[in-house]
């Protein structure tokens, strides 16, 4: 270490120690909130801090918000009220420290919401609060108008609440207060100013991960690139106590592994210099008369035959409620889905070694899928004419803040066909009838550190809802001493693909589990497996030896509805309303059309799979239960898997002709390839909720074709 | 029968008999071609004929066409030359009757095509002709410049060539010459003028379907609707000899089954009267500077980094050849796929009864997937700015005709994302980089009588090729005496779904098998199954009990490459070039990403499944063999399944590091639902060919985002 570096090191260490001293005495949150902000401030002499821009608190446009609908999220004013109520509550008054991990609307009972109509008084507005006070987790209901606070009994389960943003941010700084850590970093030849660290949830593997909130921190060099993810300081793992920010353990098993090069890793437009390759002329979805949807009172989306409630949520990201569709025959608005959202993600990495085995993320329950959803980029994340909706969330101290442009809503037309028929040359009739397909998309994109998840809810006029998840962003990579595969004797033991010199993309899975509270024409529905079965005609009955017939199996209890998909024993999966039939007597229903199916292949007893046991099947159906919304359990962080969907389903409750919830998991196996370096082209997959004998006939029979006279007249942009 | 009807019957029968007498002496084709046209003419006193409009022969724009590329299809002039050469050939001179079932380019050897470059002289232009002469099938090569005709040895296989359009059309008329048939029709209360009949390939089930070309004809009432498909005359089947047009057998087992009502079945815009429901404002994909692709010399499509040869084909529909992509690093144009097309379709219906068991269509080999591809409807089948390509085909007498606007090419932008990354609140860095996804689509839509198949080849800038098949059009339905499901004791024995009063949508499958001659960086490739396998760490090695690793299995022979997909034993399927590696030593490759997978569940020994045995696996790989292009055999019609892909693959030839062809089957199980009545909203599915270590890194790193200044300025249309 040369003397200049030494001086810098001493100065930097001193500064960090001072900063930590200041903050450790104050975190999680002092009752006097004015000091807490320091944690988010950057040191002024660090290059890292000139790049870092902590989220700017903003209240743009939301100070005057009032709720209009029983399901509207808490407004800025309401969040402030909740905070005041809590601050004057004995639990918080008598505590030294607390953190508010979640403040969201306590949704009224379903029946209340269903009976409510526009113009009625709102049911009492309540908040559900998840707080950590003096090391204990509390769940409270706060009645906003009366100020009454009631504890909620949630049962004894392992696990901690979703981290606060402040938990995550402060964890990335904390190791710098540890001299051994700093020495290790500098021993690798990395300037402390170039350090970028990530807070990595460590799952649960036994005693070591019990009885205190822990986190693992791993770091990267951001020297020469904004894409520090491609420059891992491999093998270095710091275990932190998340509450005290104390370093519990430092493991350093990667000293011989070089930091991969920065060259070619920066993906930003500004870093491409003259290399920009514009392969196509400008192209745009244009609607000269504007979009066809309206958003009433901030949250009710009305488009074509659809109507639904849309809101951002800190844990789920986006919540679609009361999706209803107009019947073209009766004109009636019919219920399809009471509530749908991303309940949990499970992302296990496939490397059993020390610095990797624990990477088995549950992005919603651990990090907050909505908390990580960043502002969308107009014209690129969503096309022109998109409408953007802000999220209003509470920080760890209860202060509300606005996540701008978190969700977008737009109409899409890709040139696809809604239905068509031409008469063929066989009949020679001159018929050519085609209807274009126009859809409505609701989108959010969550950046859980390196990875970006794009979640689309796409509504079609024919009644179909397509739920699509796109994966992009940046791989979580591993440093290696290899430069070329010809140096590798056992490629299987790389745990992934060599993507560039010294960079391995580690194999992993993504599972995204959706909560789908279907209410097809009312709450009481049944789950029917329509099995396609090979039948053999009796001898002489037919020249055929085989054909397929459908056998309907109505699921009586939860275990009947635990479904592993089978290519050679296929079924359709219907949610029907047994009390309502079509004119010709078919039960009205919607079917789940699976897609993007990759199953979890981990050992069912492996601790990560126990925690992610909601991926043991692709489909589950449970009776509606207000407290069963999060497939990995309410408290996912460091949970043992004792409160998952799999545990609930084993109760084997009755589900026939009941208010039921369907769960579906989209899965991806991801074996990285060089094309994913340094940033991944989007890979996406989807599943559908599709009407099946819900309508009497094709509901888009009467839509018109496109006519030239209706299409816009467009000119090239002036500046172009 | 009242007297008026009787008179009409007598008159009509007489007229038809006269017409048939005239034509039967002349078909298939007299050497004097001028008389043949009569077959396509309609009787002037029939209401059916006022609706029917036989395809108008046209030569618009194509009289001056000349070939520019070795793979260009035969031009109008060349087709005429081939016809002249054949007419003066002894085989045809000495025959009474003949029919030309196919005249297409005999593609030069691959090596010749690969060595050819723009400006070189074209290799000799040759045609492959499939003819039926005096009841025998002949395959001939015709050298267009020398006039030399050579017989081609294709081996002894069962089956007949693809029907000609004239085969199909004349078959629909022929039963009207049979008095028993006409009596049967009238006994059902149907005016002969309201009759619409379909020629239905009857497959092969044994002796009855051997040694002569047969077809089954079933009919519908078009009284009150253009959608006659919804009004079946159930249970009535006429077996015809296709060569003599003689009625071989009439079965009538549906006398007690009413003809379903016409009301509500007409889907045409003009038939909707005031019921049109315009749910959205005008929307369009706009490109004020025009599209970014060019089509050189009629067939070479150049767009973004892609370049390929595109041509219509009477059997395959659309053929993509020499798909090549530019490498952004080297600037080199690299080979991806030598040839890709829809090789065969297999559509078995799941009803073993007399009028249905034989419906096991093979739409390409029996009907000609390209012959059935009708003109696309601008603005509806393809968006504005689409380019339309005509097909130039030969009729059964060798006369060329033009199928206008058969294929379209357009750029699509649906609002989707090519890649993205935002920095999350964890790091707080202010990064938001998003690139929109713009693609190029090649589309055709074949109307095989009732059904419409939309086939898209979609090219992405990231090197991915997505092949998508959409199903729309009209169901093949069955008449029934039931009006309501409450009359049905055993719903499983309906063989389908009651869609409306007296209408059952019969369960069926669709399999679409693609020929994919991959040439990744050159002809010699290997097929590698990258198996994802659960691994158990040794005790004490890791807190994990399991993880996944990849095991690469290189297929040595064809049987190694017969793949049935398994959710719980998954693999990636790579086509790699073993002689070419990336900088860090990975073999360059493309992977097949399956989708839309439904397996055929029929008994492997069931005659239809023997004929459709190419669906016994989802993936196959064979060594390149010019004669193995049609998965169901060259002669599919009435074939016994002795010349299918399954038979070829059983030879178990070596496929490692060879010029290989991959075959993939997209599958759909279709259990109809009321929404499919009277016309089906499109259902689609796709598979991808995706670069995997083909590029050194993300090939679209350098594309720019959208900027407001580049987007068009659009106004509402004046007339709107």
């Amino acid at each position: 270490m040369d003397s200049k570096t030494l001086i810098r090191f001493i100065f930097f260490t001193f500064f960090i120690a001072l900063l930590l001293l200041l903050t450790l005495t104050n975190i999680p949150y002092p009752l006097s909130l004015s000091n807490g902000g320091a944690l988010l401030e950057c040191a002024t002499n660090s290059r890292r801090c000139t790049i870092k821009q902590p989220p700017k608190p903003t209240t743009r446009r939301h100070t005057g918000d009032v709720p209009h609908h029983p399901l509207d999220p808490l407004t800025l004013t309401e969040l402030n009220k909740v905070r005041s109520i809590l601050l004057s509550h004995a639990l918080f008054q008598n505590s030294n420290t607390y953190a508010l991990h979640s403040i969201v609307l306590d949704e009224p009972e379903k029946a209340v919401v269903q009976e409510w109509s526009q113009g009625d008084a709102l049911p009492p507005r309540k908040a559900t609060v998840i707080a950590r006070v003096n090391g204990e987790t509390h769940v409270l209901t706060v009645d906003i108008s009366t100020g009454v606070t009631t504890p909620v009994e949630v049962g004894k389960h392992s696990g901690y609440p979703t981290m606060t943003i402040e938990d995550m941010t402060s964890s990335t700084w904390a190791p710098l207060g540890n001299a051994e850590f700093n020495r290790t970093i500098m021993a690798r030849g990395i300037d402390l100013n170039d350090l970028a660290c990530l807070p990595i949830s460590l799952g649960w593997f036994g005693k070591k991960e019990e009885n205190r909130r822990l986190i693992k921190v791993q770091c990267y060099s951001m020297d020469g690139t904004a894409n520090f993810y491609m420059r891992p300081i491999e093998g270095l793992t710091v275990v932190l106590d998340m509450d005290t920010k104390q370093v519990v353990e430092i493991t350093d098993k990667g000293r011989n592994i070089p930091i991969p090069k920065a060259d070619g890793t920066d993906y930003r437009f500004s870093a491409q210099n003259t290399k920009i390759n514009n392969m196509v002329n400008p192209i745009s979805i244009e609607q000269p008369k504007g979009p066809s949807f309206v958003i009433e009172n901030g949250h009710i989306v009305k488009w074509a035959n659809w109507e639904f409630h849309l809101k951002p949520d800190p844990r789920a990201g986006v919540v679609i409620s009361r999706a209803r569709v107009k019947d073209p025959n009766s004109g009636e608005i019919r219920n399809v889905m009471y509530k749908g959202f991303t309940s949990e993600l499970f992302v296990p990495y496939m490397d059993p070694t020390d610095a990797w085995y624990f990477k088995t993320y549950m992005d919603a329950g651990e990090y907050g899928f909505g908390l990580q959803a960043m502002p969308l980029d107009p014209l690129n994340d969503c096309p022109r004419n998109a409408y953007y909706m802000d999220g209003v969330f509470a920080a760890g101290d209860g202060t509300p803040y606005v996540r701008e442009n978190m969700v977008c809503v737009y109409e899409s037309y890709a040139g696809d066909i809604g239905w068509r028929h031409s008469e063929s040359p066989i009949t020679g009739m001159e018929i050519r009838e085609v209807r274009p397909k126009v859809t409505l998309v609701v989108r959010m994109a969550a950046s859980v550190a390196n990875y970006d998840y794009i979640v689309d809810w796409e509504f079609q006029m024919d009644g179909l809802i397509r739920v699509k998840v796109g994966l992009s962003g940046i791989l979580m990579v591993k440093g290696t001493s290899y430069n070329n595969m010809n140096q590798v004797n056992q490629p299987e033991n790389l745990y992934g693909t060599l993507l560039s010199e010294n960079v391995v993309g580690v194999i992993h899975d993504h599972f995204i589990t959706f909560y789908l509270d279907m209410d097809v024409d009312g709450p009481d529905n049944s789950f029917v497996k329509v099995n396609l079965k090979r039948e053999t005609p009796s001898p002489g009955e037919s020249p055929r030896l085989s054909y397929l017939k459908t056998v309907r199996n109505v699921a009586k209890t939860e275990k009947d509805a635990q479904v592993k998909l089978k290519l050679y024993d296929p079924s359709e999966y219907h949610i029907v309303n047994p009390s309502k039939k079509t004119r010709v007597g078919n039960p009205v229903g919607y079917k789940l059309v699976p897609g993007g199916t990759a199953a979890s292949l981990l050992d069912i007893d492996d601790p990560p799979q126990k925690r992610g046991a909601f991926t043991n099947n692709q489909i589950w159906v449970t009776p509606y239960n207000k407290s069963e919304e999060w497939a990995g359990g309410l408290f996912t962080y460091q949970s043992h898997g004792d409160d998952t969907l799999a545990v609930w389903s084993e109760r084997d409750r009755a589900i026939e002709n009941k208010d039921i919830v369907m769960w579906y998991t989209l899965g991806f196996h991801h074996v990285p390839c060089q094309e994913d370096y340094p940033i991944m082209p989007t890979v996406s997959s989807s599943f559908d909720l599709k009407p099946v004998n819900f309508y009497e006939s094709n509901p888009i029979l009467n839509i018109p074709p496109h006519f030239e006279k209706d299409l816009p007249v467009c000119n090239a942009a002036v500046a172009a």
Side-chain angles (χ1 to χ4, degrees), chain A:
Chain A
M1 202 185 290
D2 65 28
S3 62
K4 195 174 142 206
T5 313
L6 186 66
I7 292 165
R8 259 163 71 174
F9 172 57
I10 292 166
F11 176 81
F12 195 80
T13 308
F14 175 77
F15 172 80
I16 292 290
L18 195 71
L19 186 73
L20 280 171
L21 193 71
L22 245 163
T23 52
L24 284 176
T25 57
N26 285 289
I27 54 161
Y29 286 96
L31 279 177
S32 135
L33 289 157
S34 53
N35 312 356
L39 242 192
L40 289 175
E41 293 306 315
C42 258
T44 47
N45 65 339
S46 161
R47 187 158 70 82
R48 177 170 178 238
C49 287
T50 61
I51 298 176
K52 272 177 72 95
Q53 305 241 2
K56 300 183 206 78
T58 160
T59 57
R60 176 182 73 133
R61 291 185 312 214
H62 294 280
T63 45
D65 285 1
V66 287
H68 294 278
H69 187 281
L71 297 176
D72 279 358
L74 296 179
T75 63
L76 204 103
T77 312
E78 288 176 326
L79 285 169
N80 273 324
K81 266 198 192 162
V82 172
R83 185 170 144 261
S84 306
I85 294 167
L86 292 175
L87 290 188
S88 60
H89 188 278
L91 180 66
F92 296 85
Q93 287 277 344
N94 302 333
S95 84
N96 294 322
T97 61
Y98 72 89
L100 301 170
H101 289 257
S102 169
I103 309 179
V104 293
L105 176 74
D106 177 26
E107 293 190 359
E109 295 299 317
K110 281 178 76 165
V112 172
V113 176
Q114 272 148 344
E115 278 156 30
W116 184 89
S117 49
Q118 186 79 42
D120 293 354
L122 285 183
R125 297 282 291 172
K126 296 180 183 175
T128 299
V129 176
I130 299 176
R132 293 274 299 165
V133 185
N134 296 335
E136 292 290 328
T137 302
H138 296 262
V139 183
L140 306 164
T141 302
V142 177
D143 186 312
I144 298 174
S145 53
T146 64
V148 174
T149 299
T150 327
V152 180
E153 187 45 64
V154 292
K156 276 278 164 216
H157 299 298
S158 60
Y160 300 107
T162 306
M163 289 183 277
T164 62
I165 294 289
E166 297 78 2
D167 279 335
M168 304 174 217
T169 321
S170 58
S171 295
T172 66
W173 283 86
L176 287 166
N178 183 292
E180 184 195 340
F181 173 80
N182 293 354
R183 266 196 304 275
T184 304
I185 295 298
M186 295 210 298
R188 298 256 197 147
I190 295 161
D191 193 320
L192 288 175
N193 291 329
D194 290 332
L195 209 59
C197 299
L198 292 180
I200 300 176
S201 58
L202 43 49
W204 164 78
F205 292 88
K207 289 263 173 287
K208 275 183 84 171
E209 292 84 15
E210 289 175 15
N211 302 322
R212 55 175 170 170
R213 288 210 308 150
L214 296 171
I215 192 153
K216 290 189 173 176
V217 178
Q218 294 189 335
C219 303
Y220 300 81
S221 166
M222 54 195 310
D223 185 19
T225 182
N227 189 355
F228 60 83
Y229 302 103
M230 290 300 119
R231 306 204 69 200
I233 302 169
E234 190 54 47
L236 175 66
T237 309
V238 180
V239 185
L240 271 188
D241 182 305
M242 226 192 311
D243 287 316
T244 64
K245 294 294 176 298
Q246 271 183 315
V247 170
V248 175
E249 190 184 356
I250 297 178
T251 326
D252 188 359
K253 296 191 171 176
R255 284 194 193 88
N256 57 339
I257 298 172
I259 311 289
K261 64 178 181 195
D263 191 41
T265 63
D266 204 330
Y267 51 88
R268 291 174 302 168
F269 183 65
S270 58
Q272 304 310 314
N273 306 319
T274 55
K275 291 179 288 181
I276 285 297
N277 185 1
N278 195 353
M279 296 195 253
V280 293
N281 291 342
I283 185 165
S284 178
I285 300 174
E286 290 297 327
Q287 301 167 279
K289 291 186 173 178
S292 320
F293 60 87
V294 293
I295 300 192
E296 290 179 359
N297 291 326
H299 295 282
I300 300 287
V301 182
K302 293 185 177 177
W303 173 79
N305 40 350
W306 281 102
E307 181 177 328
F308 56 90
H309 186 277
L310 168 63
K311 66 177 164 191
D313 180 85
R315 182 161 179 172
V318 153
V319 176
I320 307 285
S321 299
R322 299 213 75 200
R324 297 185 299 162
V325 70
K326 193 179 200 166
D327 190 301
N329 293 322
S330 64
E332 184 197 356
I333 308 272
R334 298 170 63 187
N335 286 305
V336 174
M337 184 177 75
Y338 185 78
K339 194 172 180 181
F341 59 89
T342 310
S343 173
E344 192 51 276
L345 293 91
F346 176 45
V347 189
Y349 281 72
M350 302 302 174
D351 180 334
T353 62
D354 180 72
W356 281 80
Y357 75 89
F358 55 88
K359 293 177 183 170
T360 55
Y361 303 98
M362 294 168 77
D363 291 323
E366 293 177 340
Y367 291 87
F369 202 50
L371 294 179
Q372 310 299 332
M374 300 301 289
L376 295 164
D377 186 28
L379 300 185
N380 291 297
D381 268 323
C382 317
R384 198 142 76 167
N385 292 315
Y387 170 93
Y388 293 87
M389 187 180 285
D390 298 344
V392 180
F393 300 148
D397 64 359
T399 315
Y401 67 92
V402 174
R403 175 63 42 80
E404 286 176 13
N405 296 357
M406 176 183 150
V407 181
C408 78
V409 181
Y410 69 90
E411 272 169 294
S412 179
Y413 169 59
D416 285 333
I417 297 168
W419 59 258
R420 88 179 305 286
H421 183 61
S422 295
E423 277 298 310
S424 85
I426 298 171
T427 67
M429 286 163 71
E430 191 70 29
I431 291 184
R432 216 187 301 170
E433 294 281 340
V434 191
R435 302 296 179 270
K437 180 187 279 187
V438 178
T439 65
L440 184 83
V441 179
V442 172
R443 174 172 292 165
M444 61 154 259
S447 301
V448 193
N450 53 313
Y451 244 96
D452 291 48
Y453 292 91
I454 304 153
V455 179
D456 287 356
W457 289 80
E458 184 175 23
F459 294 82
Q460 295 189 184
M461 290 183 202
D462 60 5
L464 185 145
I465 304 174
R466 175 160 295 172
V467 185
K468 187 161 91 173
V469 175
L471 310 178
S472 187
I474 299 169
L475 284 174
M476 177 142 278
V477 302
K478 182 175 180 176
T480 175
S481 49
Y482 297 120
N483 284 315
N484 194 292
M485 286 303 290
N486 60 22
Q487 302 160 341
V488 182
N489 287 326
Q490 292 188 286
E492 295 97 291
N493 295 340
L494 260 194
Y495 308 117
T497 309
L498 191 66
L499 300 181
S500 175
E501 289 79 2
N502 309 120
V503 181
V504 169
V506 176
I507 299 165
H508 57 281
D509 288 339
H510 297 268
F511 299 104
I512 304 100
T513 299
F514 286 86
Y515 172 101
L516 305 161
D517 179 359
M518 303 299 289
D519 278 12
V520 178
D521 272 329
D524 290 346
N525 288 175
S526 292
F527 178 67
V528 184
K529 287 180 281 184
V530 180
N531 189 228
L532 276 158
K533 221 173 126 60
R534 179 161 81 203
E535 195 76 358
T536 309
S538 340
E541 184 188 340
S542 169
R544 283 277 281 272
L545 298 184
S546 61
Y547 65 99
L548 304 189
K549 72 175 190 185
T550 52
V551 179
R552 297 174 70 90
N553 298 303
V554 179
K556 306 282 181 200
T557 65
E558 289 176 286
K559 285 188 185 174
D560 291 342
Q562 296 177 351
V563 176
K564 288 185 177 68
L565 299 171
K566 287 179 188 148
L567 182 60
Y568 280 91
D569 181 16
S571 291
E572 291 196 348
Y573 303 97
H574 294 202
I575 299 280
V576 303
N577 186 325
S579 342
K580 197 173 166 201
K581 295 204 159 40
T582 61
R583 194 183 69 241
V584 296
N586 293 306
V588 300
Y590 256 71
K591 68 177 174 181
L592 171 78
V593 185
T597 305
S600 181
L601 307 176
L602 294 181
D603 189 321
I604 205 162
D605 293 321
D606 203 356
Q609 189 60 35
K610 272 188 168 161
R611 300 178 67 233
F614 50 88
T615 62
N616 289 355
N617 296 299
Q618 286 81 51
I619 303 172
W620 313 73
V621 178
T622 57
Y624 172 79
N625 181 338
K626 199 183 169 182
S627 71
E628 293 174 2
E629 288 205 319
W630 308 106
L634 179 63
F635 303 129
T636 317
Y637 199 90
Q638 276 173 259
S639 69
H640 309 177
D642 48 344
D643 185 31
T644 67
L645 168 56
V647 173
W648 312 334
S649 170
E650 280 300 307
R651 289 182 213 150
D652 207 21
R653 293 161 291 187
I655 54 170
E656 187 182 2
N657 202 7
K658 300 249 182 252
D659 189 358
I660 52 177
V661 175
M662 179 163 57
W663 307 76
Y664 181 69
T665 298
L666 268 181
F668 299 81
H669 295 301
H670 191 168
V671 181
C673 60
Q674 287 183 234
E675 286 78 3
D676 296 337
Y677 177 94
I679 191 163
M680 291 180 286
T682 309
V683 169
S684 59
S685 221
S686 62
F687 68 92
D688 294 341
L689 300 169
K690 188 173 189 296
V692 58
N693 305 317
F694 180 79
Y695 295 107
E696 292 293 345
S697 58
N698 180 339
I700 51 167
L701 186 68
N702 298 328
I703 63 171
H706 277 170
F707 292 104
E708 178 66 41
K709 69 174 177 54
D710 297 329
L711 296 189
V713 178
C714 301
N715 299 307
V718 183

